[in-house]
Amino acid sequence: MQLNKVENLQFKFNIPHIDNNSACFNPPSFPPPDDFAMCIDESGIVTTRYGDDTWDFKAFGAKSFMYFSDYDDDNKSLFKQTIFYIIYSHLSRGSSYYSLRMWYESLQAVFRVCEDNKISAKNFSHYPKLIQKLADSIAPSTFEKSISHFNKLLKNKGELGFTLLDEKAITNLKKYDSNYEGGQSAYIPAAIWSKLISYLNQIMDDFINNKENLESAYNWVAENYISNKKKAHSPKKASPFLTEKSAFMVRYNGSFDDFLHEHRLFELLKTYQEPYKKYKGEYGIQQFSAYFNNLSFACYIVVLFYSIMRRDEALSLRIDCLVKEIDERMGEFYLLVGETTKTDPDSDARWVVNKNVAKAVSIARTLVNWKLQHLSTPVKDTPHLFQNLAVWDVRNQNVGPRPIVHFDRLAHFSRQFFNVDSYTISPDDYSEALALTPSLKRQDWFQVGGVWKFSFHQFRRTLAVHFAVNQVSPATGQFQMKHGTREQQFHYMNNHGRLRLNNIAEQEVVNEFYAAMGRNITDVVNQEANSILPHSKSPVKEDVVRFITQGEKEQLKKAQKNGLVGFRRNLLGGCMKEGSCEYGGFDSIIHCSGGSNGKFCADLIIDGTKEQKFKDDRDFYQERMDDTPEDSPLYGALKAEVKGYERVLELIEKKRVTK
């Protein structure tokens, strides 16, 4: 077989005694010949060759062996070929041989099931009844990692030479993940999610609009507070806003409210901070300090909101963390570079982010730079991005990351700044959140009319869900942030460009993708009354229709495991087409609705509950048509969209009349 033509297969690891001329560096073919050297010790002796039934990589830092003697010739060949590809391709990330053990254990589980049942691993996906046996052989603690591994191999099936687990098999396997629902963080409903990011953008825009005044006021307070502290006998006497006169220290001639009015900041502070009761409605240095720290925290939330980072990973970011790169297919995109936590040795601390993160990072960096001007000790290392900013307090005169309390606790003490009481749970919010996180029923705060209780990990879960389904409507822009997440979803789901992304963030997206596919099929069971089939022949197989009618959820799961049904959401509702669809249905409804040829797609299921949304989308495209030249290609595309929505609405009305 010829050397893999899609990418350059060569040695990827940083081993001191291995260089370009080493026998293990450049394989002559894929897979290589049996005498190809796989490991060489420091004295130059080959310790493992491709044809060996036991691979020993201890000279490269591995802690254990890889064994292939328990498999027939076919599976042994496929197993070795897969491990070899992982080591010599981009999948290894060139991190450490120790980390290859997790790959080996994931694959070992599959090949053992295949060997026990006398089938070839390349045909495993044709035997859905073996999925449960595979699930039983995977430890709960490594289940998500295994799902991520199988997905990566699926995305690289062309280069690898065969398919180990296809999309349907991975989806069915995900259903056996015992950890998924129990300890799962809540999914934030779309309306609350959208409201939060809109409000955070308002906070940042208000800062930008008042930046010069805030900088002037900040510098005046910092400079004079710090100067007074050097002269005062007690820190309590250092405030430049004390009414007590002093010949040695600066005193402001007026109240703190007067100071805010002078700098045209009174209305801003009044919007975001409650007055200090001690001053009978007036503001003081505490509220001034709180504003800057809360603003920094708002930027921190935006980073979490768009990045799938853990709380400590975001806190580790430095002021130079944001980088812009160019992708040959997606154009410009942004990466955050930081210090990763709780990840495997092969993880790289990079996260693809929405370009809106640039605004949050810029504001947080600006605040830190203001602070740095007032430090007496030179800063040696690159400062952290999120710090305590009240530099006039001696406890904050360092450049380390600020301590972060739980979101709901901070929000409790800063209710006005974070507009806490506005995130009330509507009936739609309740249903949407419960559908994706059933365990929410056990939470006392989760009820219609209650206030949503945020936590940091909810942002990871919610963004992973958005990446997984990524239903971006060009008409309504239902989620303001989702127009900027397409490139993120593309990179995380498709490994495109061989980006060295954070492995755990990628793993979270992949796992949610397969869990979402399973949930969508269950939705067909629960919402069949709202599902409109455009053809007399249903795309849902007869056995599955019976399960839907009888409400047999377990039977539906069994049908999934046996390969009888598949499902993905799209703009009009859902698609029952097995495998991928060349048209997608996520950005346009033309091909799904027959807007161009007058025929509905045979695999389409229309969600009748979205009738008003379909009307809004139709009107949106109609308005764009009115402003577009009739002889332009865009006009034709817009007309097809309008015609598609009209046909969908006509069908909904027809079904309603015939009921």
Side-chain angles (χ1 to χ4, degrees):
M1 188 180 294
Q2 295 297 313
L3 185 65
N4 187 301
K5 296 180 180 180
V6 179
E7 59 180 305
N8 182 23
L9 295 181
Q10 66 178 28
F11 196 81
K12 297 287 195 297
F13 297 83
N14 182 22
I15 305 296
H17 62 277
I18 300 299
D19 58 30
N20 300 21
N21 299 316
S22 298
C24 63
F25 197 85
N26 283 309
S29 63
F30 174 69
D34 285 349
D35 63 351
F36 178 72
M38 294 290 292
C39 185
I40 303 172
D41 66 17
E42 292 183 2
S43 61
I45 298 174
V46 176
T47 62
T48 291
R49 296 186 184 275
Y50 185 80
D52 296 341
D53 282 347
T54 300
W55 287 0
D56 177 6
F57 293 117
K58 290 186 177 179
F60 288 167
K63 302 298 182 182
S64 55
F65 299 100
M66 295 184 182
Y67 301 99
F68 303 99
S69 58
D70 295 335
Y71 309 97
D72 63 27
D73 290 344
D74 181 41
N75 282 329
K76 181 191 297 185
S77 175
L78 293 172
F79 199 171
K80 285 184 176 181
Q81 180 177 323
T82 305
I83 292 291
F84 176 84
Y85 178 75
I86 291 165
I87 294 174
Y88 280 82
S89 75
H90 66 284
L91 294 181
S92 70
R93 304 193 177 206
S95 50
S96 74
Y97 268 79
Y98 176 78
S99 66
L100 291 174
R101 186 69 193 177
M102 299 189 74
W103 271 104
Y104 174 73
E105 290 178 352
S106 295
L107 291 169
Q108 187 181 49
V110 182
F111 280 91
R112 280 180 174 171
V113 171
C114 292
E115 191 65 28
D116 291 344
N117 291 274
K118 307 303 179 184
I119 64 170
S120 172
K122 61 186 176 184
N123 296 323
F124 178 81
S125 294
H126 300 159
Y127 297 88
K129 292 182 179 180
L130 296 180
I131 293 292
Q132 185 170 2
K133 291 184 178 180
L134 172 59
D136 292 341
S137 64
I138 300 175
S141 60
T142 62
F143 212 100
E144 289 196 354
K145 173 62 71 176
S146 294
I147 293 291
S148 179
H149 285 162
F150 297 143
N151 178 72
K152 288 178 180 179
L153 293 175
L154 175 61
K155 298 303 179 185
N156 292 271
K157 62 183 180 181
E159 297 88 338
L160 181 60
F162 72 99
T163 300
L164 186 62
L165 270 74
D166 62 18
E167 190 174 83
K168 187 185 298 181
I170 300 174
T171 303
N172 294 336
L173 178 63
K174 182 61 184 175
K175 283 191 165 292
Y176 291 99
D177 186 353
S178 60
N179 298 318
Y180 198 70
E181 289 294 351
Q184 198 174 27
S185 293
Y187 164 84
I188 304 171
I192 294 177
W193 171 273
S194 181
K195 182 181 293 185
L196 176 61
I197 196 59
S198 296
Y199 183 67
L200 292 173
N201 272 306
Q202 174 191 314
I203 290 173
M204 293 190 294
D205 289 342
D206 281 347
F207 167 80
I208 293 171
N209 294 333
N210 291 274
K211 181 179 176 181
E212 291 184 7
N213 294 333
L214 284 165
E215 182 177 14
S216 174
Y218 181 95
N219 287 334
W220 192 94
V221 171
E223 180 181 343
N224 290 293
Y225 229 117
I226 293 173
S227 174
N228 284 353
K229 281 186 176 180
K230 294 177 181 178
K231 305 170 186 176
H233 296 293
S234 168
K236 295 181 180 180
K237 301 292 184 180
S239 172
F241 298 98
L242 292 177
T243 56
E244 175 185 312
K245 301 296 182 181
S246 172
F248 305 100
M249 290 180 282
V250 177
R251 297 291 190 227
Y252 182 77
N253 185 24
S255 66
F256 201 92
D257 280 13
D258 295 331
F259 174 79
L260 293 175
H261 281 295
E262 179 184 339
H263 287 83
R264 299 179 182 178
L265 296 174
F266 185 83
E267 291 302 321
L268 178 69
L269 215 65
K270 184 179 178 182
T271 299
Y272 291 108
Q273 299 295 147
E274 295 181 358
Y276 190 36
K277 294 180 180 179
K278 183 177 180 180
Y279 294 120
K280 298 179 181 179
E282 294 185 352
Y283 290 91
I285 192 66
Q286 292 90 344
Q287 290 72 48
F288 192 66
S289 301
Y291 170 78
F292 288 102
N293 285 330
N294 284 337
L295 174 62
S296 175
F297 187 78
C299 295
Y300 170 78
I301 296 173
V302 172
V303 168
L304 291 179
F305 197 95
Y306 285 119
S307 69
I308 316 188
M309 296 183 106
R310 292 185 175 92
R311 53 181 291 181
D312 291 337
E313 289 168 341
L315 281 180
S316 77
L317 294 174
R318 309 283 177 149
I319 60 174
D320 59 354
C321 63
L322 188 71
V323 296
K324 183 169 68 173
E325 295 197 7
I326 305 295
D327 182 90
E328 60 184 12
R329 290 179 61 184
M330 299 299 293
E332 291 183 354
F333 67 96
Y334 292 86
L335 290 171
L336 287 176
V337 182
E339 301 166 9
T340 190
T341 62
K342 294 185 180 178
T343 55
D344 303 317
D346 67 335
S347 293
D348 221 326
R350 287 173 178 254
W351 294 262
V352 188
V353 293
N354 180 292
K355 62 183 179 181
N356 290 338
V357 169
K359 179 163 66 172
V361 170
S362 176
I363 291 174
R365 184 193 304 122
T366 295
L367 297 175
V368 171
N369 286 333
W370 290 358
K371 173 182 174 178
L372 296 179
Q373 298 174 26
H374 300 283
L375 296 179
S376 57
T377 305
V379 177
K380 296 181 180 179
D381 297 327
T382 304
H384 283 81
L385 184 63
F386 301 112
Q387 306 181 21
N388 277 321
L389 297 163
V391 67
W392 41 87
D393 187 331
V394 67
R395 295 170 297 181
N396 299 329
Q397 293 182 355
N398 62 72
V399 293
R402 60 181 293 180
I404 294 289
V405 298
H406 292 296
F407 191 172
D408 63 307
R409 183 179 177 189
L410 181 69
H412 175 75
F413 290 111
S414 302
R415 299 186 72 84
Q416 182 171 325
F417 187 92
F418 292 104
N419 203 20
V420 172
D421 296 325
S422 67
Y423 305 106
T424 53
I425 303 170
S426 70
D428 288 343
D429 297 332
Y430 183 90
S431 299
E432 183 181 351
L434 194 62
L436 281 101
T437 319
S439 58
L440 273 175
K441 275 189 174 181
R442 299 194 293 266
Q443 303 294 330
D444 293 338
W445 60 267
F446 182 66
Q447 53 188 301
V448 175
V451 175
W452 186 270
K453 189 174 182 180
F454 292 102
S455 70
F456 293 122
H457 201 277
Q458 289 175 11
F459 300 127
R460 282 172 60 84
R461 169 85 200 292
T462 305
L463 192 55
V465 171
H466 287 176
F467 286 161
V469 296
N470 205 19
Q471 300 174 70
V472 182
S473 168
T476 62
Q478 182 181 10
F479 307 130
Q480 296 180 20
M481 47 74 65
K482 290 177 78 174
H483 288 285
T485 64
R486 180 56 60 94
E487 70 275 15
Q488 294 173 271
Q489 192 251 11
F490 180 80
H491 289 302
Y492 277 123
M493 289 300 301
N494 295 287
N495 314 113
H496 182 74
R498 310 311 185 202
L499 295 173
R500 297 173 64 83
L501 303 176
N502 178 270
N503 200 29
I504 299 301
E506 181 180 326
Q507 177 179 308
E508 184 125 5
V509 174
V510 168
N511 272 264
E512 186 57 50
F513 171 77
Y514 288 106
M517 188 179 296
R519 285 194 304 268
N520 287 335
I521 298 174
T522 303
D523 285 346
V524 176
V525 177
N526 297 332
Q527 299 181 18
E528 178 64 12
N530 299 320
S531 299
I532 297 174
L533 308 181
H535 300 284
S536 57
K537 183 179 179 181
S538 172
V540 187
K541 294 181 173 60
E542 291 182 6
D543 287 342
V544 179
V545 172
R546 187 177 71 254
F547 301 150
I548 290 172
T549 304
Q550 297 173 358
E552 294 288 348
K553 187 174 181 180
E554 293 304 317
Q555 290 282 26
L556 183 71
K557 289 183 178 180
K558 183 177 180 181
Q560 274 190 274
K561 293 197 283 284
N562 290 332
L564 293 174
V565 62
F567 187 90
R568 73 178 61 80
R569 290 203 174 279
N570 59 23
L571 289 174
L572 292 178
C575 175
M576 300 298 294
K577 181 178 177 64
E578 296 182 6
S580 61
C581 175
E582 60 181 307
Y583 301 120
F586 299 111
D587 288 316
S588 170
I589 69 161
I590 293 177
H591 297 285
C592 301
S593 66
S596 57
N597 59 21
K599 295 181 180 180
F600 282 108
C601 173
D603 297 302
L604 176 67
I605 293 181
I606 297 172
D607 185 350
T609 66
K610 294 183 176 181
E611 182 177 8
Q612 185 57 51
K613 179 180 180 301
F614 297 154
K615 291 179 180 179
D616 293 340
D617 287 355
R618 177 200 58 190
D619 294 344
F620 171 86
Y621 284 115
Q622 185 64 58
E623 290 176 4
R624 289 191 63 191
M625 280 180 60
D626 295 341
D627 297 328
T628 302
E630 293 188 11
D631 58 350
S632 67
L634 177 59
Y635 183 88
L638 294 173
K639 185 177 181 180
E641 294 283 357
V642 171
K643 182 62 177 176
Y645 278 112
E646 287 177 347
R647 296 190 73 249
V648 169
L649 291 168
E650 288 172 4
L651 181 62
I652 293 175
E653 179 61 27
K654 180 180 178 181
K655 295 291 184 179
R656 181 164 44 235
V657 171
T658 56
K659 281 185 179 179

